[in-house]
Amino acid sequence: MEGVKEEVEQVSLPRIGSTAPDFSANTTQGEIRLSDYKGKWVVMFSHPADFTPVCTTEFVAFQEIFSELEDLNTELIGLSVDSISSHLAWIRNIEKNFNTSIEFPVIADLDRNVSTKYGMIMPEESSTETTRAVFVIDPEQTVKSIIYYPLTTGRNMQEILRLVKALQKTEEEKVPTPANWQPGENVLVPPPKTQQEAEERSQDDSLECIDWYLCKKKAE
Ligand code: BEZ
């Protein structure tokens, strides 16, 4: 509306490539600091509220990928603005109903310290709940990927696993990965920067080239 300025709180939110803001927080496994996780990959995710249907299915599904993430040197951290008692009661309820023991810490962000720093509350959707955000953070604590889903859509754990594997492959071999890439499949060759590079790759029999700018190669 003309003449009316919406007041928007100016918070500098993490972006891909920026340093993940450090925090200390109370969790179901005691106090944690993000900086304690240096040297490991972290998947930190928020959910809207304890004891809700989509979130419950997600918690069971996150636990199902917990060990595989651990094998990838990756720690899971959950978060909502619910209290520790609520988290504990919900976790016990999940154990009873699904025979699933939640092994990752869940932040009780009652003062919204972490969710505000990470832009997890989207007031246009809900001012009282965190949306379904996922932050993938690398061992140097750089934000590598951010995913947002609305309150009503449960996340796909296989995609989160695939994303971590793809990010790690890129970090290890400095190569991009194509659409739907899975471990073991060919990776992409970064686009050529010079005419000479473009010419050279068209002569390179070890590459599988569709065109001068689109070549695949075996992963190491
Ligand atoms: C759910 O987890 O089912 C849910 C939570 C908040 C809003 C809508 C759905």
Side-chain angles (χ1 to χ4, degrees):
M1 219 191 309
E2 221 180 318
V4 178
K5 260 195 186 166
E6 265 186 54
E7 279 196 27
V8 179
E9 200 187 344
Q10 291 298 315
V11 189
S12 169
L13 297 177
R15 300 176 190 209
I16 292 174
S18 69
T19 299
D22 197 16
F23 59 80
S24 73
N26 289 327
T27 81
T28 48
Q29 297 180 5
E31 193 174 321
I32 61 166
R33 274 185 177 278
L34 183 68
S35 45
D36 295 339
Y37 289 80
K38 274 186 188 150
K40 288 174 176 284
W41 288 77
V42 172
V43 171
M44 181 166 70
F45 70 95
S46 54
H47 69 276
D50 299 348
F51 292 102
T52 50
V54 178
C55 299
T56 303
T57 61
E58 285 194 328
F59 255 52
V60 173
F62 271 117
Q63 179 57 41
E64 281 168 3
I65 62 166
F66 176 82
S67 302
E68 201 173 337
L69 285 173
E70 273 209 322
D71 292 345
L72 296 167
N73 187 33
T74 304
E75 298 291 328
L76 257 182
I77 303 173
L79 176 151
S80 79
V81 297
D82 296 293
S83 66
I84 290 284
S85 337
S86 169
H87 285 340
L88 292 178
W90 186 40
I91 283 172
R92 289 169 71 98
N93 182 268
I94 288 173
E95 181 143 20
K96 176 173 75 95
N97 288 326
F98 297 91
N99 198 23
T100 295
S101 169
I102 300 299
E103 293 178 87
F104 51 87
V106 187
I107 295 172
D109 196 34
L110 282 174
D111 63 2
R112 302 178 175 206
N113 175 39
V114 183
S115 42
T116 303
K117 273 185 179 161
Y118 279 78
M120 291 165 163
I121 295 177
M122 305 210 165
E124 293 80 359
E125 190 188 35
S126 170
S127 56
T128 55
E129 299 157 310
T130 38
T131 198
R132 298 186 197 281
V134 181
F135 287 82
V136 184
I137 299 166
D138 81 1
E140 282 79 44
Q141 309 229 294
T142 300
V143 175
K144 286 295 184 180
S145 185
I146 305 172
I147 306 174
Y148 288 113
Y149 269 45
L151 300 178
T152 45
T153 308
R155 287 160 282 198
N156 184 319
M157 302 305 146
Q158 291 312 310
E159 175 55 12
I160 292 172
L161 261 181
R162 193 193 75 88
L163 172 62
V164 170
K165 291 174 187 175
L167 291 169
Q168 292 186 349
K169 177 58 76 179
T170 297
E171 195 102 327
E172 283 158 22
E173 298 184 24
K174 308 289 175 241
V175 286
T177 53
N180 301 325
W181 178 84
Q182 293 289 348
E185 293 179 359
N186 286 352
V187 292
L188 291 165
V189 183
K193 292 196 193 69
T194 60
Q195 274 181 306
Q196 194 189 341
E197 270 182 34
E199 186 54 38
E200 278 168 9
R201 77 179 42 184
S202 60
Q203 318 286 332
D204 186 341
D205 290 340
S206 72
L207 303 179
E208 182 195 301
C209 290
I210 311 290
D211 212 324
W212 61 271
Y213 64 92
L214 176 51
C215 296
K216 289 187 180 178
K217 66 171 188 177
K218 278 199 168 30
E220 283 165 22

